[in-house]
Amino acid sequence: MAAEFDQYARDYKNIINKYAAASGESLEFYIELRIRLMKEALASVGALTPTRILDFGCGIGVTEAHLRTHFPHAAIVAIDESEESIAAAEKLGLDNVRFAVSRDASPPAGEEPFDLVYSNGTFHHIDHARHADTLRTLRRATRAGGRAFIFENNPFNPVMRYAMWRSPIDRDAHPLRPGYPARIVREAGFDAHGPEFYAFYPAALGFLRPTEGLLHRVPLGAQYFVWGAARS
């Protein structure tokens, strides 16, 4: 996966925006949407504002700028297999954000446990045989009671499948059926909530988006997420 993403580091944003345009939105719109959903989920269980955040599969670091805004006092560590992506991310110069190359989901040596782990669109690029070990590694990096959020594309949404097939970044990916991440997250030592679906309407139907909260169990949204607390 590292070599695959090295070649896209320079044009990553442009590629994602090209295929996100089918929805009338941008990469930044979906980053903000995911963070909002994550914050709402944390608030629903009375979780404290995270002070240490790990982003697994951070790519070129676009998400970190948004996390920095929403969690201004948190220390953020962002890891990825792609050396070129990490090099691009480091050029952002974000305060209190550490970027590092990681081949196995492990944070840099010496890092304290995290109370929030975030991963978007990473697991469908990882061989399924590695999923269990990857999640166990993330569990070891999470403090007891800390939360992990796994965001993925929904293979049951035809528009999403078409966009992934067209995109050079995702063409060879293996989308995860929504029930699968909840199972492997649970087996790795987290409680599991979800899947919860979102991104049902394109921008042209934005006036309907307030109803999405009623549809989060309907498996037709373009994306979904699974989340849970690390068990003791």
Side-chain angles (χ1 to χ4, degrees), residues 32-54:
E32 283 291 318
L33 175 56
R34 285 190 288 270
I35 293 175
R36 176 176 65 79
L37 291 169
M38 188 164 59
K39 292 175 74 173
E40 289 175 353
L42 291 171
S44 73
V45 294
L48 297 176
T49 300
T51 60
R52 291 186 52 75
I53 300 172
L54 176 66

Side-chain angles (χ1 to χ4, degrees), residues 74-107:
I76 300 171
V77 175
I79 58 177
D80 200 284
E81 288 191 359
S82 168
E83 294 183 10
E84 292 295 327
S85 296
I86 291 298
E90 289 176 332
K91 293 178 182 178
L92 297 175
L94 297 173
D95 291 335
N96 205 14
V97 178
R98 180 182 183 183
F99 292 101
V101 174
S102 174
R103 304 298 186 194
D104 64 354
S106 296

Side-chain angles (χ1 to χ4, degrees), residues 172-188:
D172 296 326
H174 301 283
L176 280 58
R177 290 174 175 265
Y180 171 73
R183 176 174 62 80
I184 59 175
V185 163
R186 190 177 297 111
E187 291 173 354

Side-chain angles (χ1 to χ4, degrees), residues 7-128:
Q7 66 181 311
Y8 298 126
R10 179 175 298 179
D11 296 321
Y12 180 82
K13 285 183 67 174
N14 290 335
I15 294 171
I16 295 298
N17 280 325
K18 177 179 178 179
Y19 294 99
S23 69
E25 301 294 0
S26 66
L27 169 63
E28 284 77 9
F29 170 85
Y30 288 106
I31 292 172
E32 283 291 318
L33 175 56
R34 285 190 288 270
I35 293 175
R36 176 176 65 79
L37 291 169
M38 188 164 59
K39 292 175 74 173
E40 289 175 353
L42 291 171
S44 73
V45 294
L48 297 176
T49 300
T51 60
R52 291 186 52 75
I53 300 172
L54 176 66
D55 180 0
F56 169 58
C58 67
I60 61 172
V62 183
T63 296
E64 276 54 58
H66 295 261
L67 289 172
R68 176 78 292 140
T69 298
H70 285 272
F71 304 104
H73 303 298
I76 300 171
V77 175
I79 58 177
D80 200 284
E81 288 191 359
S82 168
E83 294 183 10
E84 292 295 327
S85 296
I86 291 298
E90 289 176 332
K91 293 178 182 178
L92 297 175
L94 297 173
D95 291 335
N96 205 14
V97 178
R98 180 182 183 183
F99 292 101
V101 174
S102 174
R103 304 298 186 194
D104 64 354
S106 296
E111 289 288 346
E112 297 179 4
F114 297 88
D115 45 21
L116 177 63
V117 174
Y118 169 93
S119 182
N120 170 61
T122 302
F123 280 86
H124 63 241
H125 290 289
I126 300 173
D127 190 292
H128 283 213

Side-chain angles (χ1 to χ4, degrees), residues 14 38 78 115 130 148 152 168 196 215:
N14 290 335
M38 188 164 59
D115 45 21
R130 292 176 54 200
E152 281 292 335
E196 298 187 26
L215 303 174

Side-chain angles (χ1 to χ4, degrees), residues 132 135-136 139-140 183-190 231:
L135 279 163
R136 283 193 289 266
R139 170 62 190 89
R140 288 193 293 272
R183 176 174 62 80
I184 59 175
V185 163
R186 190 177 297 111
E187 291 173 354
F190 295 91
R231 297 191 295 269

